[in-house]
Amino acid sequence: MQLSSLSSLFRRPSQRWQRNLLMAHADALVAGSPVSEQMRLACARSGETELKALLALAERIERAMPPVAPSEQFVMELRQRLLQAEKRQAVSLWGRVQRLPLHTRVAAGIGGATLTAGVVFLATRSVYEALGNRRNRRAITA
Amino acid sequence: MTEPQEQNGRDYAGADDLQLVAWAREDRAAFGELYSRYVNRIYNYVYYRTGNHQDAEDLTSRVFFKALAHIDRYVDRGVPFSAWLYRIAHNQVANWHRDRSRRRIVPLDDFMLDGEAPEAPETVTESSEEEAQLLELIRALPPERQQLLVLKFVEHLSNAEIGAIMNRTEGAIKSLYHRTLLALRGGLEGKRDES
């Protein structure tokens, strides 16, 4: 794009027009296109000082934020951890229980059975007590 | 990268993200390919949002573990996989900032110039003092404005892609960019007046 043709773009700046121009400039900037600099020069020639300042600022931002790269060691280690983690997640709960040592499974079974029996006992007792209280009340009223 | 190009008759390198996501639900190598495609981008994003390599590594790890754990939940409803990943990264960075502010209540200036200075982007890129000042101002911007600048200038994403990540229209992205530049210019003028 020629500088003269770009200059004609700066005749009637509106908010929307400015926004479009700024974003087009940013896109050209990150694409490494020389149009971005031509835009700024054309803007300077047209006397658009505010726009010119914003375009220059965008160029400074682009320079201040170059892409960075993580270390190769980090990338490789994280990759391994991710793949191993997925493998662990793929094992079901039942599969994990089956992998436990026999004495742990027996202890867990006894513990679970005791707990269940205790809950059942407490629940049954409260039901019997409630029924007994009801019977007593009936007997008193009779 | 040691990613196998083909395994189980699957062409990982040639597959698009959506296909890889479908495979990744049961296939580790497919997730590995997705990881290879995005690890640098996510790292860059997190790095410029946190300002140091150590936290960037930590948060990048969290992002990918989260993605792995929830890959079943990803459904393509017009939001690309990359956008989904960036959203996870954005949330992780937000949590990181929140936890950090809870742990240490320090003035913003101290936060910007604390012990992480040797690893800050300005030193890595050997940029001028002015650029360092600019980066400092960028890190003091509201999160969404920082996000926009990183996605545009570091990740080189199109407005449509940024819109998908930030859940905004392209017009809104342009408007946000305009306001961000104005805010930064105001900040720079303020700094100039101070000195």
Side-chain angles (χ1 to χ4, degrees), chain B residues 114-131:
Chain B
D114 66 9
E116 291 160 353
E119 283 193 290
E122 55 269 34
T123 53
V124 171
T125 60
E126 297 177 0
S127 56
S128 67
E129 199 178 313
E130 277 188 351
E131 283 173 4

Side-chain angles (χ1 to χ4, degrees), chain A residues 43-98:
Chain A
C43 192
R45 280 177 54 168
S46 69
E48 278 293 330
T49 50
E50 183 180 309
L51 258 182
K52 183 192 156 196
L54 294 180
L55 295 182
L57 176 58
E59 288 173 17
R60 280 182 62 190
I61 295 170
E62 203 264 339
R63 279 196 303 274
M65 300 178 89
V68 291
S71 74
E72 280 185 27
Q73 190 189 351
F74 163 73
V75 173
M76 279 170 57
E77 282 176 4
L78 177 57
R79 181 193 180 79
Q80 282 173 351
R81 281 169 52 210
L82 281 165
L83 299 187
Q84 283 165 4
E86 193 185 25
K87 204 188 270 178
R88 279 201 298 273
Q89 283 171 357
V91 179
S92 67
L93 182 65
W94 180 240
R96 268 183 275 169
V97 168
Q98 282 182 320

Side-chain angles (χ1 to χ4, degrees), chain A residues 18-20 22-23 27 30 50 57-58 60 65-68 70 74-75 78-79 81-83 86-87, chain B residues 1 3 24 28 32 35-36 40 44 47-48 57 65 68 125 130 152 159 174-175 177-178 181 185:
Chain A
Q18 281 188 14
R19 286 199 294 264
N20 287 339
L22 286 168
M23 197 48 105
D27 286 332
V30 296
E50 183 180 309
L57 176 58
R60 280 182 62 190
M65 300 178 89
V68 291
F74 163 73
V75 173
L78 177 57
R79 181 193 180 79
R81 281 169 52 210
L82 281 165
L83 299 187
E86 193 185 25
K87 204 188 270 178
Chain B
M1 224 25 71
E3 181 64 33
R28 283 174 290 139
Y35 168 76
S36 301
N40 277 19
N44 263 280
Y47 176 68
Y48 276 103
E57 287 187 354
F65 274 107
L68 179 64
T125 60
E130 277 188 351
K152 178 53 76 182
N159 298 332
K174 287 178 187 174
S175 179
Y177 176 61
H178 188 193
L181 287 181
R185 193 191 57 177

Side-chain angles (χ1 to χ4, degrees), chain B:
Chain B
M1 224 25 71
T2 55
E3 181 64 33
Q5 294 295 300
E6 270 192 46
Q7 198 173 301
N8 307 325
R10 289 171 171 174
D11 176 15
Y12 297 114
D16 63 13
D17 285 358
L18 212 54
Q19 180 63 69
L20 285 170
V21 168
W23 288 341
R25 290 178 177 135
E26 291 168 355
D27 182 351
R28 283 174 290 139
F31 190 82
E33 172 64 25
L34 285 168
Y35 168 76
S36 301
R37 285 183 190 182
Y38 292 106
V39 63
N40 277 19
R41 287 167 67 174
I42 294 298
Y43 182 87
N44 263 280
Y45 176 79
V46 175
Y47 176 68
Y48 276 103
R49 295 292 312 278
T50 59
N52 72 85
H53 285 290
Q54 204 177 347
D55 289 317
E57 287 187 354
D58 182 33
L59 291 181
T60 302
S61 304
R62 288 192 210 179
V63 170
F64 281 99
F65 274 107
K66 193 117 186 165
L68 179 64
H70 298 293
I71 194 103
D72 288 339
R73 293 190 200 166
Y74 172 73
V75 183
D76 179 33
R77 291 199 186 100
V79 179
F81 176 73
S82 58
W84 183 71
L85 215 49
Y86 277 114
R87 284 182 187 179
I88 296 176
H90 175 75
N91 291 336
Q92 291 296 322
V93 170
N95 291 345
W96 179 82
H97 279 295
R98 198 183 52 225
D99 292 348
R100 204 176 154 92
S101 64
R102 271 184 200 156
R103 278 201 302 270
R104 287 194 303 158
I105 300 170
V106 290
L108 193 61
D109 285 350
D110 293 352
F111 164 69
M112 295 300 171
L113 300 170
D114 66 9
E116 291 160 353
E119 283 193 290
E122 55 269 34
T123 53
V124 171
T125 60
E126 297 177 0
S127 56
S128 67
E129 199 178 313
E130 277 188 351
E131 283 173 4
Q133 194 181 54
L134 181 59
L135 278 173
E136 192 182 311
L137 281 171
I138 289 171
R139 288 205 296 272
L141 287 172
E144 60 175 11
R145 293 184 181 188
Q146 289 183 50
Q147 187 181 19
L148 170 61
L149 292 181
V150 176
L151 294 174
K152 178 53 76 182
F153 288 103
V154 183
E155 310 282 17
H156 297 181
L157 297 186
S158 70
N159 298 332
E161 288 170 314
I162 296 173
I165 293 165
M166 297 180 70
N167 203 18
R168 286 168 180 248
T169 62
E170 286 190 49
I173 294 296
K174 287 178 187 174
S175 179
L176 183 65
Y177 176 61
H178 188 193
R179 280 184 275 128
T180 303
L181 287 181
L182 290 172
L184 276 176
R185 193 191 57 177
L188 284 170
E189 284 171 356
K191 288 260 180 191
R192 219 170 286 145
D193 292 345
E194 279 172 25
S195 58

